[in-house]
Amino acid sequence: LAPKTHVRNFFSNIMMAHADGLSPTNPKVYARARQEIIAKKGAFWDEAKAAGAEWTTGKGTHLQELMQAISPDRHASIYETVGASLPRFMNNGAKKAARWMAEGYQDSEAFFKQALYIKHRTDGLGVSEAMRRADTAIINYAKMPHWVKVARSSPIGVPFLSFTYGATPLIAKKAIDNP
């Protein structure tokens, strides 16, 4: 749960979102997702929540703190946004960072799923298909099988087994669909 692990997770989510069609150089979509997550309302947020999108049900308090430090609307890409925001975020202190580490993975998932949902809806997909695409494009650590959860947390376990388990089928599918 170290900050560097969350940064890697965030960049992995950027790449998975890109593989599903959301370019890192599309700050308008990321800015809209940020805005709706902070407010917990907005046209796309309300629509996804009404349709039962799991990413709209979390507490999101730590995500809101993180989103305050990240402003995609000021940069040409999400990479520039993260790079510019990291010093400010890291300087918020270890105590504040430690508070959100446990929920950080799910909060990061929510941000990218909301951004993907917005992208797919603006591309003309229906609500259900946009939700399905957003939900399957980003790893959902809460939906890992029990054996993966046990193996990653056992004393001799593999700590990044969840990522490997979740990412391998996504990468394989994208490699087949788009060699």
Side-chain angles (χ1 to χ4, degrees), residues 56-173:
T56 63
T57 61
K59 289 187 275 183
T61 36
H62 307 304
L63 181 62
Q64 289 177 351
E65 290 175 20
L66 176 62
M67 289 295 111
Q68 295 292 347
I70 295 176
S71 296
D73 46 340
R74 294 187 195 146
H75 301 95
S77 76
I78 192 71
Y79 293 115
E80 288 178 24
T81 298
V82 172
S85 302
L86 268 177
R88 189 170 5 140
F89 176 71
M90 297 309 279
N91 286 332
N92 282 339
K95 186 175 182 180
K96 190 174 194 178
R99 266 197 342 230
W100 71 268
M101 286 296 162
E103 294 175 13
Y105 288 111
Q106 290 152 347
D107 291 346
S108 178
E109 287 172 22
F111 172 64
F112 284 96
K113 288 181 181 196
Q114 182 67 17
L116 281 164
Y117 179 79
I118 291 168
K119 187 248 187 269
H120 293 315
R121 288 293 288 135
T122 57
D123 284 351
L125 292 182
V127 173
S128 296
E129 182 61 14
M131 274 178 48
R132 187 193 67 73
R133 291 273 306 266
D135 202 38
T136 57
I138 304 295
I139 297 170
N140 187 335
Y141 292 97
K143 290 185 176 179
M144 291 288 142
H146 182 69
W147 72 267
V148 172
K149 293 175 184 177
V150 169
R152 75 171 180 222
S153 60
S154 72
I156 56 168
V158 183
F160 298 105
L161 179 61
S162 296
F163 177 80
T164 305
Y165 180 87
T168 301
L170 295 174
I171 293 167
K173 182 179 180 346

